[in-house]
Coordinates of all heavy atoms in Angstrom, one line a residue:
Chain B
Q846 N 116.4 102.1 107.4 CA 115.4 101.5 106.6 C 114.1 101.3 107.3 O 113.0 101.2 106.6 CB 116.0 100.1 106.1 CG 116.1 99.0 107.1 CD 117.4 99.1 108.0 OE1 118.0 100.1 107.9 NE2 117.7 98.1 108.6
I847 N 114.1 101.2 108.6 CA 112.9 101.1 109.4 C 112.1 102.4 109.2 O 110.8 102.3 108.9 CB 113.2 100.8 110.8 CG1 113.7 99.4 111.0 CG2 111.9 100.9 111.7 CD1 114.2 99.1 112.4
L848 N 112.7 103.5 109.3 CA 112.0 104.8 109.1 C 111.5 104.8 107.7 O 110.4 105.3 107.4 CB 112.9 105.9 109.4 CG 113.2 106.3 110.8 CD1 114.1 107.4 110.9 CD2 111.9 106.6 111.6
E849 N 112.3 104.4 106.7 CA 111.8 104.5 105.4 C 110.7 103.5 105.1 O 109.8 103.9 104.3 CB 113.0 104.2 104.4 CG 113.9 105.4 104.3 CD 115.3 105.1 103.7 OE1 115.6 103.9 103.4 OE2 116.1 106.0 103.6
R850 N 110.7 102.4 105.8 CA 109.6 101.5 105.6 C 108.3 102.1 106.1 O 107.2 101.8 105.7 CB 109.8 100.2 106.4 CG 110.9 99.3 105.6 CD 111.4 98.2 106.4 NE 110.4 97.1 106.6 CZ 110.6 96.1 107.3 NH1 111.7 95.8 107.9 NH2 109.7 95.1 107.4
F851 N 108.4 103.0 107.1 CA 107.3 103.6 107.7 C 107.0 105.0 107.0 O 106.2 105.8 107.5 CB 107.4 103.9 109.2 CG 107.2 102.6 110.0 CD1 108.2 101.8 110.4 CD2 105.9 102.3 110.4 CE1 107.9 100.6 111.1 CE2 105.6 101.2 111.2 CZ 106.7 100.3 111.5
G852 N 107.8 105.2 105.9 CA 107.6 106.5 105.2 C 108.1 107.7 105.9 O 107.6 108.8 105.7
L853 N 109.1 107.5 106.8 CA 109.6 108.6 107.7 C 111.1 108.9 107.4 O 111.7 109.6 108.2 CB 109.4 108.3 109.1 CG 107.9 108.1 109.6 CD1 107.9 107.5 111.0 CD2 107.2 109.5 109.6
G854 N 111.6 108.4 106.3 CA 113.0 108.5 106.0 C 113.5 109.9 106.1 O 114.6 110.2 106.6
S855 N 112.7 110.9 105.6 CA 113.2 112.3 105.5 C 113.2 112.9 106.9 O 113.7 114.1 107.0 CB 112.2 113.0 104.6 OG 111.0 113.1 105.1
Y856 N 112.7 112.2 107.9 CA 112.6 112.9 109.2 C 113.7 112.4 110.2 O 113.8 112.8 111.4 CB 111.3 112.5 109.9 CG 110.1 113.2 109.3 CD1 109.3 112.6 108.4 CD2 109.9 114.5 109.6 CE1 108.3 113.3 107.8 CE2 108.8 115.2 109.0 CZ 108.0 114.6 108.1 OH 107.0 115.2 107.5
A857 N 114.7 111.7 109.7 CA 115.7 111.1 110.6 C 116.5 112.1 111.3 O 116.9 111.9 112.4 CB 116.7 110.2 109.8
D858 N 116.8 113.3 110.7 CA 117.6 114.3 111.3 C 116.8 115.5 111.8 O 117.3 116.5 112.2 CB 118.7 114.8 110.4 CG 119.7 113.7 110.0 OD1 119.9 112.9 111.0 OD2 120.1 113.6 108.9
R859 N 115.5 115.4 111.7 CA 114.6 116.6 112.1 C 114.0 116.4 113.5 O 113.7 115.2 113.9 CB 113.5 116.7 111.1 CG 113.9 117.1 109.7 CD 112.8 117.7 109.0 NE 112.8 117.4 107.6 CZ 111.8 117.5 106.8 NH1 110.7 117.9 107.2 NH2 111.9 117.2 105.5
P860 N 113.7 117.5 114.2 CA 113.1 117.3 115.5 C 111.7 116.7 115.3 O 111.0 117.0 114.3 CB 113.0 118.8 116.0 CG 114.0 119.6 115.2 CD 114.1 118.9 113.9
V861 N 111.3 115.9 116.3 CA 110.1 115.2 116.2 C 108.9 116.1 116.1 O 107.9 115.8 115.5 CB 110.0 114.2 117.4 CG1 108.6 113.6 117.5 CG2 111.1 113.1 117.2
G862 N 109.1 117.3 116.8 CA 107.9 118.2 116.8 C 107.5 118.7 115.5 O 106.4 119.2 115.3
Q863 N 108.3 118.5 114.4 CA 107.9 118.9 113.1 C 107.0 117.9 112.4 O 106.5 118.2 111.3 CB 109.2 119.1 112.2 CG 110.1 120.3 112.6 CD 111.3 120.4 111.8 OE1 111.4 119.8 110.8 NE2 112.1 121.4 112.2
L864 N 106.8 116.8 113.0 CA 105.9 115.8 112.4 C 104.4 116.1 112.6 O 104.0 116.6 113.6 CB 106.2 114.4 113.0 CG 107.4 113.7 112.5 CD1 107.8 112.6 113.4 CD2 107.3 113.1 111.1
A865 N 103.6 115.8 111.6 CA 102.2 115.9 111.7 C 101.6 114.7 112.6 O 102.4 113.7 112.8 CB 101.5 115.8 110.4
E866 N 100.3 114.7 113.0 CA 99.9 113.7 113.9 C 100.0 112.3 113.4 O 100.4 111.4 114.1 CB 98.3 114.0 114.2 CG 97.8 113.1 115.3 CD 98.5 113.2 116.6 OE1 99.1 114.2 116.9 OE2 98.4 112.2 117.4
G867 N 99.7 112.1 112.1 CA 99.8 110.8 111.5 C 101.3 110.3 111.5 O 101.5 109.2 111.8
G868 N 102.2 111.2 111.2 CA 103.6 110.9 111.3 C 104.0 110.6 112.7 O 104.9 109.7 112.9
R869 N 103.5 111.3 113.6 CA 103.9 111.0 115.0 C 103.5 109.7 115.5 O 104.1 109.0 116.2 CB 103.3 112.1 115.9 CG 103.9 113.5 115.7 CD 103.1 114.6 116.3 NE 103.0 114.5 117.8 CZ 103.9 115.0 118.6 NH1 104.9 115.7 118.1 NH2 103.8 114.9 119.9
K870 N 102.2 109.3 115.0 CA 101.7 107.9 115.4 C 102.7 106.9 114.7 O 103.0 105.9 115.4 CB 100.3 107.8 114.8 CG 99.2 108.4 115.6 CD 98.8 107.5 116.8 CE 97.7 108.2 117.6 NZ 97.4 107.5 118.7
L871 N 103.0 107.1 113.5 CA 103.9 106.1 112.8 C 105.2 106.1 113.5 O 105.8 105.0 113.7 CB 104.0 106.5 111.4 CG 102.9 106.1 110.4 CD1 103.1 106.6 109.0 CD2 102.7 104.6 110.4
L872 N 105.8 107.3 113.9 CA 107.1 107.3 114.5 C 107.0 106.6 115.9 O 107.9 105.8 116.2 CB 107.6 108.7 114.7 CG 108.9 108.8 115.3 CD1 110.0 108.1 114.6 CD2 109.4 110.3 115.5
D873 N 105.9 106.8 116.6 CA 105.8 106.1 117.9 C 105.8 104.6 117.7 O 106.4 103.8 118.5 CB 104.4 106.5 118.5 CG 104.3 106.1 119.9 OD1 105.3 106.2 120.7 OD2 103.1 105.9 120.3
I874 N 105.2 104.1 116.6 CA 105.1 102.7 116.3 C 106.5 102.3 115.8 O 107.0 101.2 116.2 CB 104.0 102.4 115.4 CG1 102.7 102.7 116.0 CG2 104.1 100.9 114.9 CD1 101.5 102.8 115.0
A875 N 107.1 103.1 115.0 CA 108.4 102.8 114.4 C 109.4 102.6 115.6 O 110.4 101.8 115.5 CB 108.9 103.9 113.4
L876 N 109.3 103.5 116.6 CA 110.3 103.4 117.8 C 110.1 102.0 118.4 O 111.2 101.4 118.8 CB 109.9 104.5 118.8 CG 110.3 105.9 118.5 CD1 109.7 106.8 119.7 CD2 111.8 106.0 118.5
S877 N 108.9 101.6 118.5 CA 108.7 100.2 119.1 C 109.2 99.1 118.2 O 109.8 98.2 118.6 CB 107.2 100.0 119.4 OG 106.7 101.1 120.1
F878 N 108.9 99.3 116.9 CA 109.2 98.3 115.9 C 110.8 98.2 115.7 O 111.2 97.1 115.5 CB 108.6 98.7 114.5 CG 108.6 97.6 113.5 CD1 107.8 96.5 113.6 CD2 109.6 97.6 112.5 CE1 107.9 95.5 112.6 CE2 109.6 96.6 111.6 CZ 108.8 95.5 111.6
A879 N 111.5 99.3 115.9 CA 112.9 99.2 115.8 C 113.6 98.4 116.8 O 114.7 97.9 116.7 CB 113.5 100.7 115.9
L880 N 112.8 98.0 117.9 CA 113.4 97.2 118.9 C 113.3 95.7 118.5 O 113.7 94.8 119.2 CB 112.6 97.3 120.2 CG 112.7 98.8 120.8 CD1 111.7 98.9 121.9 CD2 114.1 99.1 121.3
R881 N 112.8 95.5 117.3 CA 112.6 94.1 116.7 C 111.8 93.2 117.7 O 112.4 92.1 118.2 CB 114.0 93.5 116.4 CG 114.7 94.3 115.4 CD 116.1 93.7 115.1 NE 117.0 94.6 114.4 CZ 116.8 95.1 113.2 NH1 115.8 94.6 112.4 NH2 117.7 95.9 112.7
P882 N 110.7 93.6 118.1 CA 109.9 92.9 119.0 C 109.3 91.6 118.4 O 109.2 91.5 117.2 CB 108.7 93.8 119.4 CG 108.5 94.6 118.2 CD 109.9 94.8 117.5
R883 N 108.9 90.6 119.3 CA 108.1 89.5 118.8 C 106.6 89.8 119.0 O 105.8 89.2 118.3 CB 108.5 88.3 119.7 CG 109.9 87.9 119.7 CD 110.5 87.6 118.3 NE 109.9 86.5 117.7 CZ 110.3 85.2 117.8 NH1 111.3 84.9 118.6 NH2 109.6 84.2 117.2
L884 N 106.3 90.7 119.8 CA 104.9 91.0 120.1 C 104.9 92.6 120.1 O 105.6 93.2 120.8 CB 104.4 90.5 121.4 CG 103.0 91.0 121.9 CD1 101.9 90.5 120.9 CD2 102.7 90.4 123.2
L885 N 104.0 93.1 119.3 CA 103.8 94.6 119.2 C 102.4 94.9 119.6 O 101.5 94.4 119.1 CB 104.1 95.1 117.8 CG 103.9 96.6 117.5 CD1 104.9 97.4 118.3 CD2 104.1 96.9 116.1
L886 N 102.3 95.8 120.6 CA 101.0 96.3 121.1 C 100.8 97.7 120.7 O 101.7 98.6 121.0 CB 100.9 96.2 122.6 CG 101.3 94.8 123.2 CD1 101.3 94.9 124.7 CD2 100.3 93.8 122.8
M887 N 99.7 98.0 120.0 CA 99.5 99.4 119.6 C 98.2 99.9 120.1 O 97.2 99.3 120.0 CB 99.4 99.4 117.9 CG 100.6 98.9 117.3 SD 100.6 99.3 115.5 CE 99.4 98.1 114.9
D888 N 98.3 101.1 120.8 CA 97.1 101.6 121.4 C 96.5 102.7 120.5 O 97.1 103.8 120.4 CB 97.4 102.2 122.8 CG 96.2 102.4 123.7 OD1 95.1 102.2 123.1 OD2 96.4 102.7 124.8
E889 N 95.4 102.4 119.9 CA 94.7 103.3 119.0 C 95.7 103.9 118.0 O 95.9 105.1 118.0 CB 94.0 104.4 119.8 CG 93.0 103.7 120.8 CD 91.9 104.6 121.2 OE1 91.7 105.6 120.5 OE2 91.3 104.4 122.3
P890 N 96.2 103.1 117.1 CA 97.1 103.7 116.1 C 96.6 104.7 115.1 O 97.4 105.5 114.6 CB 97.6 102.4 115.3 CG 96.5 101.4 115.5 CD 96.0 101.7 116.9
T891 N 95.3 104.8 115.0 CA 94.7 105.8 114.1 C 94.0 106.9 114.9 O 93.4 107.8 114.2 CB 93.8 105.2 113.1 OG1 92.6 104.7 113.7 CG2 94.4 104.1 112.3
S892 N 94.0 106.9 116.2 CA 93.3 108.0 116.9 C 94.0 109.3 116.6 O 95.2 109.3 116.6 CB 93.2 107.8 118.3 OG 94.4 108.0 119.0
G893 N 93.3 110.4 116.4 CA 93.9 111.7 116.1 C 94.4 111.9 114.7 O 94.9 112.8 114.3
V894 N 94.3 110.7 113.9 CA 94.7 110.8 112.5 C 93.4 111.1 111.7 O 92.3 110.6 112.0 CB 95.2 109.4 112.0 CG1 95.6 109.4 110.6 CG2 96.5 109.0 112.9
S895 N 93.6 112.0 110.7 CA 92.4 112.4 110.0 C 91.8 111.2 109.2 O 92.5 110.2 108.9 CB 92.8 113.5 108.9 OG 93.6 112.9 107.9
I896 N 90.5 111.3 108.9 CA 89.8 110.2 108.2 C 90.6 109.8 106.9 O 90.8 108.6 106.6 CB 88.4 110.5 107.9 CG1 87.6 110.7 109.2 CG2 87.7 109.5 107.0 CD1 86.2 111.2 109.1
D897 N 91.0 110.8 106.2 CA 91.8 110.5 104.9 C 93.1 109.8 105.2 O 93.5 109.1 104.3 CB 92.0 111.9 104.2 CG 90.7 112.5 103.8 OD1 89.7 111.8 103.6 OD2 90.7 113.7 103.4
D898 N 93.7 110.0 106.4 CA 95.0 109.4 106.6 C 95.0 108.1 107.3 O 96.0 107.4 107.3 CB 95.9 110.4 107.5 CG 96.3 111.6 106.7 OD1 96.3 111.6 105.5 OD2 96.7 112.6 107.4
K899 N 93.8 107.7 107.8 CA 93.7 106.4 108.5 C 94.1 105.3 107.6 O 94.9 104.4 108.0 CB 92.2 106.2 109.1 CG 92.0 107.0 110.3 CD 90.7 106.6 111.0 CE 90.6 107.5 112.2 NZ 89.5 107.1 113.0
G900 N 93.6 105.2 106.4 CA 93.8 104.1 105.5 C 95.3 104.0 105.2 O 95.9 103.0 105.4
P901 N 95.9 105.1 104.7 CA 97.4 105.1 104.4 C 98.2 104.7 105.6 O 99.2 103.9 105.5 CB 97.7 106.5 104.0 CG 96.4 107.0 103.4 CD 95.3 106.4 104.2
V902 N 97.9 105.2 106.8 CA 98.6 104.9 108.0 C 98.5 103.4 108.3 O 99.5 102.7 108.5 CB 98.1 105.7 109.3 CG1 98.6 105.1 110.6 CG2 98.5 107.2 109.2
M903 N 97.3 102.9 108.3 CA 97.2 101.4 108.5 C 97.8 100.6 107.4 O 98.4 99.5 107.7 CB 95.7 101.1 108.7 CG 95.1 101.5 110.1 SD 96.0 100.8 111.5 CE 95.7 99.1 111.4

Side-chain angles (χ1 to χ4, degrees):
Chain B
Q846 72 276 16
I847 289 171
L848 284 179
E849 280 164 0
R850 285 168 75 180
F851 281 91
L853 297 168
S855 63
Y856 288 99
D858 296 323
R859 292 198 215 166
V861 168
Q863 292 182 4
L864 284 162
E866 186 62 21
R869 291 163 67 84
K870 281 278 182 187
L871 281 176
L872 179 58
D873 192 34
I874 295 162
L876 283 176
S877 310
F878 191 77
L880 300 168
R881 302 181 195 286
R883 304 301 298 273
L884 173 64
L885 177 63
L886 307 173
M887 301 190 290
D888 197 352
E889 302 200 24
T891 68
S892 76
V894 177
S895 70
I896 292 172
D897 292 342
D898 287 340
K899 282 190 179 190
V902 165
M903 283 306 291

